[in-house]
Amino acid sequence: MNISNKTILITGGGSGIGYETAKLLSQQGNKIIIVGRNADKIKKAGEELNVIAIAADITIETDVDSLIKRVSNEFPELSILINNAAVAYIYRVAEDPESFEKAQHEMLVNYLSPIRLTERLLPILKNQQEAAIVNVSSNVVYVPLAVLPSYSATKAALHSYTLALRRALAMDTAVKVFELQPSLVNTDAAKGIGGEENGIDPGVVVRSLIAGIQNDVNEIYVGDTAALRDQYFSDPLIALETLNQGL
C-alpha cells in the first residue's frame, strides 16, 4: 500500500509511538492529524511536529461526536486511521484491591474506544480508493505479562477484533487492516516495566510499521514478538513463563 500523500489520523499522538508515527509519516508528505485527551500536550506536539492537533477524549461520546464532525467537514479525504491510544496499569491481579476499576478503564480506552472510532470513521474510509486501519496492539496478545494482566487482556481482545474486522472489510471494500505488535518499547508509559532500559526505540517501531504497510503485511511484528508468537503456538505454557521470567 502506498503511504504518501495521505491524510492520516493518529490517536494518542502526543507522545510515544503515536508522536513518532506522526513525525515520520509527516516527513513522507502525509497530512497528519493527531488526537489526544490532554489539550496542552496535544497542542504542544502539534506545534513541534507542524501537524494538525485535535484535543478529544476518545472514551467520551460527545468528544467523539465532535471529532467525527470536524473530520467529516474538514478532512473528507481521510484514508488512514491509526488506533494507537492506550493506557496500562501495572499491578498484580491477585493482590490489587482496584483491579476491576483498572481493568474497566483499560478496556474502555484500549478496546471499546477503537471499535467506536473505527465504526464512526469507516464511512469516510470506504469512500477512498485506498484506505487502511492500523490497530496498535502488543506481543501480549499471545500471553499475558503478569504485571499488566488486564492490559494484556485488552490487547488480546483488540487482536481478535482486528482479525474479524480484516476479514469483514476484505469481502467488499478497499479498506485494509493492519496490526502493529511491538514488544517492550522505550516510552514514558513503559518506564515502570523497564522500557527505558530494555525497550525498543520508537523510531524502530514506526519504521517497521511503515515498511509493513508498504508491503501489505497484515501483522507487523517488532522486537521479540515473532519469536514469542512462534513459541506460543509451539507450547503456550513455556511462552507464558518466558515472557514472565523474573516477575
Side-chain angles (χ1 to χ4, degrees):
M1 177 179 177
N2 176 36
I3 194 167
S4 60
N5 299 311
K6 295 283 195 299
T7 298
I8 304 171
L9 188 149
I10 305 167
T11 65
S15 61
I17 294 173
Y19 183 97
E20 194 68 21
T21 302
K23 178 181 176 181
L24 294 185
L25 287 178
S26 177
Q27 291 172 356
Q28 293 197 353
N30 297 288
K31 180 188 293 184
I32 304 298
I33 306 162
I34 56 173
V35 177
R37 62 182 178 83
N38 185 312
D40 291 338
K41 183 178 181 180
I42 202 71
K43 180 182 177 183
K44 182 174 183 290
E47 291 171 348
E48 291 173 350
L49 298 171
N50 194 29
V51 301
I52 300 153
I54 300 176
D57 187 334
I58 60 169
T59 69
I60 299 174
E61 187 172 6
T62 53
D63 277 23
V64 174
D65 289 342
S66 297
L67 175 62
I68 299 303
K69 183 177 180 180
R70 182 170 176 188
V71 171
S72 299
N73 291 336
E74 299 181 27
F75 313 105
E77 77 284 2
L78 179 76
S79 57
I80 299 179
L81 165 64
I82 301 180
N83 287 310
N84 167 73
V87 63
Y89 292 109
I90 301 170
Y91 70 98
R92 294 191 179 274
V93 70
E95 302 169 6
D96 195 291
E98 297 180 342
S99 59
F100 173 80
E101 288 79 7
K102 291 173 179 176
Q104 184 179 48
H105 187 222
E106 286 173 325
M107 188 60 76
L108 178 58
V109 176
N110 302 352
Y111 178 61
L112 296 175
S113 292
I115 291 177
R116 175 163 58 190
L117 194 57
T118 297
E119 177 186 295
R120 298 291 301 277
L121 288 174
L122 258 178
I124 298 175
L125 297 175
K126 287 179 179 179
N127 282 334
Q128 316 308 325
Q129 288 188 340
E130 190 175 45
I133 296 163
V134 179
N135 289 333
V136 179
S137 63
S138 165
N139 62 345
V140 298
V141 304
Y142 302 109
V143 291
L145 191 64
V147 294
L148 295 174
S150 48
Y151 171 85
S152 300
T154 66
K155 291 301 185 179
L158 184 64
H159 171 62
S160 182
Y161 166 74
T162 303
L163 292 172
L165 181 67
R166 180 183 299 121
R167 182 178 184 276
L169 292 177
M171 291 182 179
D172 58 2
T173 81
V175 182
K176 298 180 179 181
V177 179
F178 300 95
E179 183 178 356
L180 176 63
Q181 297 180 5
S183 53
L184 186 64
V185 182
N186 182 9
T187 64
D188 288 343
K191 282 184 177 180
I193 54 171
E196 192 169 18
E197 299 82 13
N198 303 308
I200 307 165
D201 183 87
V204 173
V205 176
V206 178
R207 285 190 289 275
S208 297
L209 170 62
I210 293 171
I213 294 173
Q214 289 173 330
N215 290 286
D216 290 326
V217 178
N218 288 337
E219 293 184 354
I220 301 161
Y221 312 125
V222 188
D224 68 6
T225 300
L228 182 65
R229 178 184 182 275
D230 290 345
Q231 191 173 59
Y232 168 76
F233 284 112
S234 174
D235 191 322
L237 291 179
I238 291 179
L240 178 64
E241 293 308 316
T242 298
L243 186 64
N244 288 283
Q245 190 172 10
L247 295 178

